[in-house]
Amino acid sequence: RDGSRMFTVGSINDMVYQFNLTVNFDVTTASLANQFSVIFEETNPTSVSFNTSGTRMFVMGTTNDLIHEVILDQPYDLSTAYYTGNVFDVSTEELSPEEMTWNNDGTRFFVVGSSGDDVNAYDVSNPFDISTASYSGVSLSVSAVAFSPTSLAFNADGSRLYVAGNSSDRIFTYNLTTGFDLSTATIAGITFNLAGFETSPQGLFLTEDGTKHYMT
């Protein structure tokens, strides 16, 4: 969370990669440090996320439409990672889950997918424990602006949601009158055009202070 480490996942090698940065949030200073295979659990991983302490990692993909939970004995250190066996199935709501993200206290996570063209919210009774997760029944359709959405991110207090997709090559902004509550979201009309440098955006990350976006 301090920007000293960066994590990416991809569908070719079925690995999560850990990069260490000598200057926080400066990707030009990144070097590969560790990697963690997900090939036996997911052959098309699309998303990786963490709890706030870096002791749990969540890997999601489109092959099985499952979220897999991973424990890290040392925070944000993939060399200490191992599977818990806990999984959560999102296939009822989304057959092509592309990215997931959490609210601040781990009581809710969100999944965006290119099959349903929406963002789905899930409640978690024990923070960051997907074995206690359930679908909230709340979703936000983004098909009007971001057909085939592949990525999402919130600002620090959940009052803004950012969604990007392959169809428009833009980041779209939604305002939420109640933080992390999709039922209060409305399109803000604020967009950022990615077409000049990325025509197939897959991942979106926003720093806590909101001064930097990162796109893969």
Side-chain angles (χ1 to χ4, degrees):
R1 293 173 68 86
D2 63 1
S4 62
R5 294 187 179 181
M6 177 177 69
F7 299 85
T8 64
V9 66
S11 59
I12 300 299
N13 296 322
D14 304 321
M15 291 275 190
V16 180
Y17 293 99
Q18 172 193 327
F19 297 84
N20 292 345
L21 289 75
T22 56
V23 178
N24 292 354
F25 294 110
D26 183 349
V27 295
T28 66
T29 69
S31 59
L32 182 63
N34 289 301
Q35 58 192 42
F36 181 77
S37 176
V38 299
I39 193 170
F40 295 111
E41 287 72 29
E42 178 55 59
T43 55
N44 190 30
T46 56
S47 175
V48 59
S49 61
F50 290 84
N51 66 348
T52 51
S53 63
T55 56
R56 288 190 186 186
M57 179 174 71
F58 305 89
V59 179
M60 185 179 69
T62 60
T63 298
N64 299 314
D65 304 325
L66 296 175
I67 300 169
H68 297 268
E69 182 182 81
V70 178
I71 293 294
L72 293 86
D73 285 336
Q74 296 296 321
Y76 298 107
D77 183 350
L78 290 186
S79 68
T80 68
Y82 57 92
Y83 287 100
T84 66
N86 289 338
V87 297
F88 184 79
D89 190 340
V90 299
S91 62
T92 301
E93 295 76 42
E94 178 55 60
L95 293 175
S96 186
E98 300 288 351
E99 190 168 22
M100 69 175 293
T101 191
W102 292 83
N103 68 348
N104 295 328
D105 62 8
T107 58
R108 184 169 291 178
F109 66 83
F110 305 85
V111 174
V112 67
S114 56
S115 175
D117 297 330
D118 57 7
V119 180
N120 293 291
Y122 299 83
D123 292 329
V124 185
S125 56
N126 187 26
F128 295 108
D129 181 355
I130 60 170
S131 69
T132 68
S134 60
Y135 179 50
S136 69
V138 179
S139 66
L140 172 67
S141 175
V142 298
S143 61
V145 293
F147 181 74
S148 190
T150 55
S151 53
L152 82 165
F154 286 92
N155 67 344
D157 63 4
S159 62
R160 284 196 171 183
L161 168 66
Y162 306 89
V163 179
N166 284 332
S167 62
S168 59
D169 303 324
R170 290 178 181 270
I171 300 173
F172 295 90
T173 305
Y174 289 82
N175 291 333
L176 290 79
T177 54
T178 301
F180 298 106
D181 184 349
L182 294 182
S183 68
T184 69
T186 55
I187 189 70
I190 304 170
T191 66
F192 181 72
N193 193 347
L194 301 166
F197 39 105
E198 181 55 64
T199 57
S200 184
Q202 294 294 322
L204 180 62
F205 175 77
L206 179 68
T207 56
E208 288 188 9
D209 64 4
T211 60
K212 289 185 179 181
H213 272 98
Y214 297 84
M215 174 65 70
T216 58

